[in-house]
Amino acid sequence: MDRSRCENCIVRQFNSLRALSKEELKKVSDSKTSKTIKKGQPLFEEGEKLNGVYCVRDGVSKLSKLSANGKDQIVKLASKGEVMGQRSVIAEEHSNLSAVAVSDMEVCFIPKDSITTSLQKNPNFTLEVLRHMAHDLKEADDVIVNMSQKTVKQRIAEAFLYLKNNFGEDGDGFLALTLSREDIANVVGTATESAIRIISEFKKKGLIHTSGKKIGIEDERKLRDLAEGF
Amino acid sequence: MDRSRCENCIVRQFNSLRALSKEELKKVSDSKTSKTIKKGQPLFEEGEKLNGVYCVRDGVSKLSKLSANGKDQIVKLASKGEVMGQRSVIAEEHSNLSAVAVSDMEVCFIPKDSITTSLQKNPNFTLEVLRHMAHDLKEADDVIVNMSQKTVKQRIAEAFLYLKNNFGEDGDGFLALTLSREDIANVVGTATESAIRIISEFKKKGLIHTSGKKIGIEDERKLRDLAEGF
DNA sequence: GTAATACTATGATAATTATCAGCTTTTACC
DNA sequence: GGTAAAAGCTGATAATTATCATAGTATTAC
């Protein structure tokens, strides 16, 4: 079985491409190109015109937006199965976000033509994309509320729980996705020093343990209570 | 001309319902009910199961989410032409937001059946809804960045500019949409007292003028500079 | 292997924002 | 039209968070 073909790609099960017909999928597969992206490399930049979407086969990318004060706000972390750049292609706008790999990645670039024609002809696919976007919008609403109503401490606690739930742990009990302290700060929207300070505090309190950049969750219950505001 | 019919409703031009066929529109119009909502009254509550969507003919509604600390975070203000509850109906989930009128409203309630059948059968409509949601998602991303990277002062300045751009001014140079100080605080995600203090400060500096609850923009340029961080 | 560079860490201090308390003004309602 | 309730306002203070400075530690490049 040729795993480089979309038809045989497991990742597809997780995203809206599964609603494509056999013929459509064949067309997509014929037009796509595979890319390997090293950790730290950009996939696309804010303001760039996207000629297609990126389907993540492996690895994780941060989607961020530069704010006026020069800091990057990470809006989302996209991993296996997620399609990046959909929003911009659908709205026919330049990208509002930058995408940079936070781990080595394997992605497929799908030119927008095959996407847009399917969007116009296959209601099932369009509806599937719509459902995904509805979900993303809900998540975005939740992020807005968390950002504006929770303290930095709560947001960091929540971020660790999020990382565990979405990316899991390695064999040694550390979070499988290792982010730099700066990236963690940019996820929760705070200064790097503040993030580091709170991480130290969590460590002292036995909520987490660390080894270099790696972070492991020690007391999930307490972390959750903290995130909820108790 | 019967203006109570969707076919003749101008508001429709602003939202995705314009992509419906004549027959679909007729069906929607036959099944919809018109409602008058007084300022302060709820349209629906967070967690409620929505059996349809609300199309705003007149007035403004706040869409908010209760946070753990008991404060309401206003995520969006919906006015003429906007469709509320779409996201929940599409995702087949309970609403993640509450909707409360911030001015007297006229809305049409459209049962979800006519929406979902059109979503399955009319790709143009689905695509139109998708485009709108893509736009909402971009706006949500922008809000996330503003919330996490800007100071309360900047966010309030921005909120006033937003109110002017989206709802305009009355004959006397006041913002057409009058929000309570508490609502303003809930839009920018701060304590009511902090919002009031900053409003007083803006007044002293000649950026705005007030009369009771009403707020008028005095120096748009300076307000914009402030919002941008200068 | 070592120098250069980026990342992590911590202290001191300043700025921002929240909270609590008390007061005045406005609004709503009988 | 009077009164209770709600909303608006201000001061004092505490808590949170950012900023600046500095130093240790890890990574990378040559």
Side-chain angles (χ1 to χ4, degrees):
Chain A
M1 193 165 71
D2 182 359
R3 288 199 192 281
S4 74
R5 297 290 303 172
C6 295
E7 295 93 313
N8 306 325
C9 180
I10 339 148
V11 154
R12 184 170 54 86
Q13 293 309 318
F14 302 120
N15 65 40
S16 29
L17 297 177
R18 67 178 173 183
L20 290 179
S21 69
K22 265 191 182 165
E23 300 78 52
E24 287 172 320
L25 206 54
K26 189 170 178 306
K27 210 177 134 198
V28 164
S29 199
D30 289 340
S31 65
K32 81 164 171 38
T33 52
S34 298
K35 291 189 185 182
T36 308
I37 317 277
K38 282 252 167 268
K39 178 176 170 176
Q41 284 189 330
L43 282 100
F44 54 83
E45 303 277 350
E46 193 178 335
E48 193 176 308
K49 184 137 186 277
L50 297 185
N51 296 313
V53 300
Y54 293 86
C55 178
V56 182
R57 289 187 67 160
D58 202 21
V60 181
S61 167
K62 60 179 173 184
L63 289 159
S64 66
K65 193 167 152 64
L66 207 61
S67 71
N69 65 24
K71 275 187 194 161
D72 240 19
Q73 175 64 38
I74 296 177
V75 165
K76 191 177 163 66
L77 293 167
S79 60
K80 188 188 278 186
E82 295 205 61
V83 180
M84 296 190 290
Q86 271 192 106
R87 205 209 60 76
S88 305
V89 166
I90 288 162
E92 298 176 61
E93 295 169 344
H94 293 203
S95 175
N96 62 324
L97 301 172
S98 297
V100 174
V102 290
S103 66
D104 290 348
M105 298 185 78
E106 294 236 357
V107 302
C108 291
F109 175 78
I110 304 170
K112 67 175 167 188
D113 283 359
S114 38
I115 300 291
T116 46
T117 51
S118 287
L119 279 175
Q120 275 151 13
K121 295 194 178 148
N122 182 345
N124 282 334
F125 175 60
T126 317
L127 191 51
E128 195 62 31
V129 175
L130 183 56
R131 289 215 179 96
H132 272 269
M133 204 160 291
H135 178 254
D136 283 352
L137 187 55
K138 182 186 183 175
E139 281 198 336
D141 284 344
D142 289 342
V143 172
I144 291 173
V145 176
N146 283 339
M147 283 297 178
S148 46
Q149 303 286 359
K150 292 194 172 180
T151 64
V152 174
K153 216 174 281 184
Q154 289 178 298
R155 267 139 57 195
I156 291 187
E158 198 156 65
F160 290 154
L161 296 169
Y162 173 87
L163 290 175
K164 181 176 173 186
N165 289 334
N166 287 272
F167 306 102
E169 297 175 324
D170 65 15
D172 305 322
F174 290 105
L175 293 172
L177 180 65
T178 302
L179 294 175
S180 70
R181 303 295 194 249
E182 188 180 0
D183 277 342
I184 293 173
N186 290 346
V187 166
V188 302
T190 190
T192 307
E193 298 95 320
S194 299
I196 289 174
R197 247 181 266 277
I198 289 169
I199 290 169
S200 302
E201 190 191 323
F202 283 3
K203 201 161 67 172
K204 268 188 208 133
K205 287 189 181 162
L207 302 176
I208 60 172
H209 54 108
T210 67
S211 168
K213 283 184 213 277
K214 284 187 290 183
I215 288 172
I217 290 179
E218 192 82 27
D219 191 335
E220 186 165 347
R221 178 63 177 281
K222 274 192 195 163
L223 218 46
R224 192 171 307 281
D225 286 350
L226 202 160
E228 298 302 328
F230 300 120
Chain B
M1 194 165 69
D2 182 359
R3 289 201 191 281
S4 74
R5 299 288 306 171
C6 296
E7 296 93 313
N8 306 325
C9 181
I10 340 147
V11 153
R12 182 170 54 87
Q13 294 309 319
F14 303 122
N15 64 39
S16 28
L17 297 178
R18 68 177 172 184
L20 290 180
S21 68
K22 265 192 184 165
E23 300 77 51
E24 286 173 320
L25 207 52
K26 190 170 177 306
K27 210 176 132 197
V28 164
S29 197
D30 289 340
S31 65
K32 82 162 169 41
T33 53
S34 299
K35 291 188 185 183
T36 307
I37 316 277
K38 283 251 168 268
K39 178 176 171 178
Q41 284 190 330
L43 282 100
F44 53 83
E45 303 276 349
E46 193 179 335
E48 193 176 307
K49 185 137 185 276
L50 297 186
N51 296 315
V53 299
Y54 293 86
C55 178
V56 181
R57 288 187 67 161
D58 202 21
V60 181
S61 168
K62 60 179 173 184
L63 289 159
S64 66
K65 193 169 152 62
L66 207 62
S67 71
N69 64 26
K71 275 188 195 161
D72 240 20
Q73 175 65 35
I74 297 177
V75 165
K76 191 176 162 69
L77 292 167
S79 59
K80 187 188 278 188
E82 295 204 60
V83 180
M84 297 189 291
Q86 270 193 106
R87 206 208 60 75
S88 305
V89 166
I90 288 162
E92 298 177 60
E93 295 169 344
H94 293 203
S95 176
N96 61 325
L97 301 172
S98 297
V100 174
V102 290
S103 65
D104 290 348
M105 298 185 78
E106 295 238 353
V107 301
C108 292
F109 175 78
I110 304 169
K112 69 175 166 189
D113 284 359
S114 38
I115 301 291
T116 47
T117 50
S118 289
L119 280 176
Q120 276 152 13
K121 297 196 177 145
N122 181 346
N124 283 334
F125 175 60
T126 316
L127 191 50
E128 195 63 31
V129 175
L130 183 56
R131 288 215 179 95
H132 272 268
M133 203 160 293
H135 178 254
D136 283 352
L137 186 55
K138 182 186 184 176
E139 281 199 336
D141 285 344
D142 290 342
V143 172
I144 291 172
V145 176
N146 284 339
M147 283 295 179
S148 45
Q149 303 286 358
K150 292 194 172 178
T151 64
V152 174
K153 215 173 282 186
Q154 289 178 299
R155 269 139 57 197
I156 291 186
E158 198 155 67
F160 289 154
L161 296 169
Y162 173 85
L163 291 175
K164 180 176 173 184
N165 288 334
N166 286 272
F167 305 102
E169 296 176 326
D170 64 15
D172 304 322
F174 290 105
L175 293 171
L177 180 66
T178 302
L179 294 176
S180 70
R181 302 295 194 251
E182 188 181 1
D183 277 344
I184 293 173
N186 289 347
V187 166
V188 302
T190 190
T192 307
E193 298 95 318
S194 299
I196 289 174
R197 246 181 267 278
I198 289 168
I199 290 169
S200 303
E201 189 191 323
F202 283 3
K203 202 160 65 172
K204 268 188 210 132
K205 288 189 181 163
L207 302 175
I208 60 172
H209 54 107
T210 67
S211 168
K213 284 185 211 277
K214 285 187 290 182
I215 289 172
I217 290 180
E218 192 81 27
D219 191 335
E220 186 165 347
R221 178 64 177 280
K222 273 192 194 161
L223 217 47
R224 192 171 308 279
D225 284 351
L226 202 161
E228 297 301 327
F230 299 120

